[in-house]
Amino acid sequence: MAAERTAKLRASGDQIPLLLDGIEAEAQAAGVPAGLAAEFRLCLDELLVNVVNHGAPGPDSEITVHYRVGPDGVWAEIVDAGPAFDPLSLPEPDVEAPLDARVPGGLGIYFVRRLMDEVVYERRDAFNRLRLAKRVGAASTQATF
């Protein structure tokens, strides 16, 4: 099993691309398939940008990302001190509706749910914790945090 790493970011968002570049490089070095790593990057980016834009108390607040990368997949937990908010509780957008009839918002988490093997929200110790995992192969087991 790969070692867990921790990154701490300012909620201004300017550090997100550097973190994502690092995780993607680690995934490549670990032998994670490129498509899987790209989907994980897309989802982690979406979730981090949402925390910065909608959940963080301010640009100097801190977001912590715990993550693991290994040949069997990638896992992350995003931790922030913003107001309690479970993005998984939102109703799914009607992607079949005509564009002019759709309600804005919700597509990001929709795609995260579709692309990841596991997405779990928890509010613990005054922190939002959103975990996501993408595993290599259908026979993989649930990620544990």
Side-chain angles (χ1 to χ4, degrees):
M1 177 182 290
E4 183 176 294
R5 298 184 186 275
T6 299
K8 296 189 181 286
L9 313 169
R10 286 186 321 277
S12 62
D14 59 338
Q15 297 173 319
I16 293 172
L18 294 173
L19 172 65
L20 298 175
D21 288 347
I23 293 173
E24 195 167 33
E26 286 183 46
Q28 181 180 10
V32 174
L36 186 149
E39 289 177 355
F40 185 75
R41 179 187 178 120
L42 176 72
C43 292
L44 192 55
D45 183 45
E46 171 66 23
L47 296 171
L48 288 169
V49 168
N50 280 348
V51 171
V52 168
N53 290 339
H54 306 293
D60 291 326
S61 61
E62 191 173 77
I63 302 168
T64 302
V65 180
H66 305 286
Y67 67 94
R68 289 193 312 262
V69 175
D72 55 342
V74 287
W75 302 264
E77 179 182 49
I78 301 167
V79 181
D80 73 86
F85 177 69
D86 178 0
L88 302 175
S89 68
L90 297 173
E92 290 203 3
D94 182 0
V95 296
E96 300 297 323
L99 287 178
D100 58 349
R102 293 185 190 182
V103 176
L107 279 177
I109 195 68
Y110 172 83
F111 286 115
V112 169
R113 286 174 157 162
R114 296 291 173 291
L115 293 173
M116 294 296 99
D117 295 323
E118 179 180 355
V119 184
V120 177
Y121 171 82
E122 177 184 25
R123 179 74 177 183
R124 183 170 24 107
D125 302 327
F127 292 94
N128 294 301
R129 298 170 183 275
L130 189 61
R131 296 185 301 267
L132 61 154
K134 183 74 175 174
R135 292 178 292 280
V136 175
S140 299
T141 60
Q142 291 280 341
T144 55
F145 289 89

